[in-house]
Amino acid sequence: MKIFTTFLILVAVALIIFNVTLLDFNHPLEGNSMVALIGIAAAFCAVFILLIFKMSKKIEEKLKNQ
């Protein structure tokens, strides 16, 4: 499970990088730039959720060992 969540985090970071390349910094709220902004926000949310999941699994392991 650790490898899978790490893989998903890397995929989300790759999506963030890809969507940043699609941004038009002169008109960030028009056309494809808006889609890219939504994609960046969604990928950031995915990263944060996966990091929270990894931390909760670490806490769960520590509580089982006690």
Side-chain angles (χ1 to χ4, degrees):
M1 190 61 134
K2 290 180 183 179
I3 295 171
F4 184 65
T5 55
T6 304
F7 174 73
L8 288 177
I9 290 171
L10 289 175
V11 169
V13 169
L15 283 173
I16 291 170
I17 293 169
F18 174 72
N19 281 321
V20 166
T21 63
L22 295 178
L23 281 176
D24 179 15
F25 292 105
N26 293 328
H27 306 287
L29 299 177
E30 295 178 2
N32 285 341
S33 291
M34 183 59 127
V35 175
L37 285 174
I38 293 169
I40 291 169
F44 270 122
C45 290
V47 168
F48 289 134
I49 289 170
L50 288 167
L51 289 175
I52 290 170
F53 179 72
K54 284 182 81 165
M55 281 192 275
S56 69
K57 287 296 180 182
K58 284 181 184 179
I59 292 170
E60 184 179 349
E61 278 183 24
K62 287 183 181 182
L63 289 175
K64 278 185 181 179
N65 292 336
Q66 287 182 354

